[in-house]
Amino acid sequence: MTNSAQTIDPALYAAATDAVRAEAKKVLESGAVSAVVGWQAGRRPGTAMPAIVTDPARVNDLIFSPACVNNLALYLTKAKKEIRAKGRIAIVAKGCDLKALVGLMGENQLRRDDLHVIGVACAGVHGANVDRTLPLSEATIARKCRECAVHTPEGADAIVGTLPELHRFTPTESEELARLEAMAPAERWKFWKEHFSHCIRCYACRQVCPFCYCEQCMCDRNRPQAVETTPRPAGNMAWHIVRAMHLAGRCAGCAECERACPMDIPLNLLNRKMAKELKELYGFEAGLEVKDKGPLAEYREDDDQSFIK
Amino acid sequence: MPITITEQNLRLLIDTLVKAGTRVVGPKAAGTMTLYEPLSAGEELNLGGLPRRSAKETFFPLCETILTYEREKEGVRVTDVDPGSVPETLLIGARPCDAAAAPVLDAVFSWDYKDEFFLERRRKTTIIGLACTRADDACFCTAVGLSPADTRGSDLFLTPLKDGGYRCDAITGKGEALLAAHAALFADGDGTPAPLAEPSPGAMDLDKIRGWLDTHFEDPLWEEIAERCAGCGACAFLCPACHCFDIVDEGGEAKGARRKSWDACGFGKFTNHASGHNPRDVQPQRYRNRIMHKFKYYVDKFDQRLCTGCGRCIRACPVGIDIAAVLEEINSKGVE
């Protein structure tokens, strides 16, 4: 691999930005959709934020850059009713985000016909706490993007941008997961206990997760209280375990929970571990094909029951 | 004659106080972050980066127990936690944006109800503030009337010197007492201050912003800014001035505790009534309250702003909401 291949060319993003704008303009002007959910630039250099554009005159606000980290599928869930109320919506989706849309369709939270998916060919986005003014490279790319298998989303209504052959990055997350799996249970428990001790229960992990759309979260209940709501070791541990279990077989791997965590808890390691278990036990994994039921939501006669003792 | 202290003596001061049984809290490395945490020795002090969470937890902990209960043969025994049991504390290396939040919080915690847990901690805490020599693009203290060298809230204030060490200015009696008690560690002298940080947003017209807020409770701007808000508490929990809390009873039938812990106006259930009605039922209304509380309601009531420009909410917001950009936008609108 040559040196230049290790830095992702920013021109790819400029071209994708133009294509996102053109597609957004087309679907808004034709009346095919009433809003486009995409990203727009933030005040600070190298930042972006979700944008909900309803006026075709505003499509030039839309961008695609390594700062477009958010999984916008969040804005189509029950958690964001005010946006769904706008009507048929176009959404700009990276491959990882498309998996979430597909999962939500499988769970009857979204109807394909209500959406216009603008899939964006994506070489990756910036990781947390990096110099955002630098192009993507081994030093700046997000952990999830290092192992991405869906750079070009399939099944979208339009695909914007094209990608050259991409450099292979060190799979740091797989390596970290392997390191954790190799640990003795006590050592692993200590690892998570320490991370969870930092949890402040701001629920950013829950609030950015497209699959945390329950209108009543069990962890907010206080009559009776199911999980301690105060940020103390017992409740923190319970909260993260409950969340990991609820996401098992559903998590699309966008890693938004980990990115959003202000306390740097490596939550996607938990999600990946659960996804691995589901694949081994049930041959199931989140993908780009709508499935009616996940393995933990259905019973089959031939399910493995050897764990019942 | 100004007074100075060397870096080595600053660490020695911490060692001395820790040995004497004082709780010393300061910036300390914690994994990938820096946090204000209790220090067990001067060498743990890490003045490099801005701590991820603010210093408010020195007086307003993330979670504290206020009473405990236990079932006994005859009835239930309820035991109040004694607020007087909190230790004497030195908060060292507080950034101006963190130190300045202390008097802001004093106003609300000593208003109609005197929060003895908060007030006792405040009484027993001495704050050593530290001028900032670095700002990132989220810092905006200058926009809200503070500065990287603002001494508000500090008892003793340190200004880094170009050739190492710090100039020490006693701001309050507590600061003078600290200087006097440890005179041997300080020296008379002067030095050239290191260049101060220069946050990019300049001063804003805060009266004009408040004027706009006075007349724009309903405005399309709220939806435009805040429909992207995910409704998490990251901004409020990292903020030095946010102070909403919840009180819950936790435990079982046999024993448990009543605990006070941080709450956030961004949460969907924050204003949920027992009836099920929620007066702020969509996120733009909740975000509006956040801005109104910081730049109007608190100013109306206490003549202070509930924001010190630390930029933590900007850095942490998972959906990129930038309060400095919101203020700039309102500032540009002015009173219509």
Side-chain angles (χ1 to χ4, degrees), chain A residues 28 40 58 87 121 129 135 153 155 158 181 187 190 200 241 271 273:
Chain A
L28 280 172
Q40 72 182 64
R58 268 196 60 211
N129 308 321
E181 286 176 330
E187 206 184 341
K190 195 175 151 233
I200 52 176
I241 290 175
N271 298 337
K273 176 66 181 163

Side-chain angles (χ1 to χ4, degrees), chain B residues 74-282:
Chain B
E74 305 287 327
V76 178
R77 184 159 49 92
V78 175
T79 314
D80 282 329
V81 169
D82 173 18
S85 64
V86 301
E88 290 285 336
T89 298
L90 177 77
L91 169 61
I92 187 166
R95 301 302 171 126
C97 50
D98 281 328
V104 176
L105 293 173
D106 290 343
V108 68
F109 282 113
S110 59
W111 169 53
D112 60 341
Y113 179 81
K114 311 271 182 243
D115 185 312
E116 44 190 340
F117 291 92
F118 175 90
L119 293 174
E120 189 65 15
R121 282 196 173 83
R122 273 290 281 142
R123 259 195 298 277
K124 288 186 173 165
T125 302
T126 302
I127 302 178
I128 302 186
L130 170 70
C132 287
T133 51
R134 272 189 309 187
D136 71 7
D137 59 8
C139 289
F140 67 104
C141 61
T142 37
V144 293
L146 288 158
S147 83
D150 204 294
T151 60
R152 242 172 287 185
S154 292
D155 296 302
L156 186 68
F157 193 76
L158 304 180
T159 307
L161 298 174
K162 222 172 159 189
D163 301 318
Y166 303 89
R167 181 192 153 117
C168 311
D169 290 291
I171 310 297
T172 67
K174 272 186 186 174
E176 276 165 17
L178 188 77
L179 279 182
H182 302 276
L185 296 172
F186 297 90
D188 285 344
D190 210 346
T192 315
L196 286 174
E198 290 179 20
S200 55
M204 287 186 205
D205 187 340
L206 297 162
D207 289 334
K208 190 173 150 196
I209 289 172
R210 182 177 159 206
W212 189 86
L213 294 175
D214 277 340
T215 51
H216 291 79
F217 187 77
E218 300 291 351
D219 193 90
L221 181 72
W222 301 121
E223 191 180 338
E224 199 185 299
I225 295 168
E227 63 187 353
R228 61 175 63 87
C229 176
C232 75
C235 52
F237 284 12
L238 267 53
C239 174
C242 277
H243 53 263
C244 286
F245 59 85
D246 190 18
I247 292 179
V248 289
D249 289 339
E250 296 184 322
E253 201 185 318
K255 63 176 188 174
R258 177 162 297 170
R259 300 190 179 111
K260 174 177 156 195
S261 62
W262 295 352
D263 204 344
C265 59
F267 289 153
K269 306 274 180 199
F270 184 75
T271 48
N272 213 26
H273 292 179
S275 65
H277 171 65
N278 192 339
R280 295 185 206 135
D281 64 351
V282 290

